[in-house]
Amino acid sequence: MNLLIPLNSLNTMTPPASPIPQVRRERVLPSPAGRARRGALLASMLWLAGCAAPLPAVQWLRLPAQPPEPLPTAAAAGAGVTAGPALQLLGAVGLPGHLDRSALLVPQGNASLQPLGTARWAEPLRDAVPRLLRADLARLLGAPVWGSPLPPGVPPPLQLRLELHALDVAPDLRSLRLQARWSLADPLGTRPPSLHEAGFDTPAASADADALAQAHRRALWTLAQQVAASTAGWR
């Protein structure tokens, strides 16, 4: 006996397909540590981008070897003749600590200093100042100005000690203030030393770095003239 099952009844016997479960995606917020790492990475990228930018060119300044003006009449007439005493500049010329830097510093506020743009001294002032003062004094006196130690065979000359208390740009950048103190002494001790001071302002043609460097050179020339004049009593 054959059992016949209608085809439509087979469809009713097939179990229905199970629905595909839907996965719910939730937004995961970064942890505070993750946000900090991303911020640090972004800051590093910005810093590297800034480093890749070209830097402004440095403006190198120098103090010219030649005096900024002709010799005074008396000194010019006696050029090549020993008109004044020979000098020995003892030790280093004292400078305030803030001048021992390559940047040209200018005032900011009551007690602060800041570099003037990209202006930099090509030669440290601690080297340029004594070198120029010795050369200027030799021109003005018509006599040698030695450093230390003295060359063999040179008799002990009049001894000069000098320090600068100020060589500062004015707040308006239109002048330079110099204050100095120096002493003259007989190396043989035959008379007491003489003490001297000077303080004066030197105008600058403008407020830019080049004009201020020229004002530095004129100030040193004026100081050399005053030191030379103070040797009159020792001749």
Side-chain angles (χ1 to χ4, degrees), residues 40-185:
L41 178 60
L42 179 60
S44 299
M45 294 174 64
L46 293 174
W47 181 80
L48 290 173
C51 292
L55 296 175
V58 175
Q59 182 183 5
W60 294 105
L61 304 173
R62 66 181 180 92
L63 298 178
Q66 293 299 317
E69 60 187 30
L71 288 172
T73 304
V81 179
T82 305
L87 292 178
Q88 181 186 13
L89 181 58
L90 293 179
V93 174
L95 293 176
H98 67 272
L99 296 178
D100 195 15
R101 286 167 171 78
S102 62
L104 174 56
L105 299 178
V106 296
Q108 183 184 36
N110 295 326
S112 301
L113 295 170
Q114 66 176 359
L116 181 60
T118 60
R120 299 292 184 270
W121 293 111
E123 178 186 14
L125 290 178
R126 66 176 178 272
D127 298 329
V129 168
R131 177 178 57 80
L132 293 172
L133 284 175
R134 285 178 55 191
D136 289 350
L137 285 169
R139 292 186 181 97
L140 292 165
L141 294 172
V145 179
W146 305 100
S148 298
L150 288 173
V154 174
L158 186 63
Q159 295 177 340
L160 168 65
R161 287 181 172 86
L162 188 145
E163 60 182 6
L164 296 183
H165 293 171
L167 189 61
D168 298 330
V169 177
D172 61 359
L173 308 185
R174 298 307 297 263
S175 64
L176 182 77
R177 179 67 180 174
L178 185 148
Q179 291 180 326
R181 177 180 295 176
W182 68 94
S183 67
L184 298 169

Side-chain angles (χ1 to χ4, degrees), residues 30-37:
S31 65
R35 289 196 298 268
R37 286 193 296 269

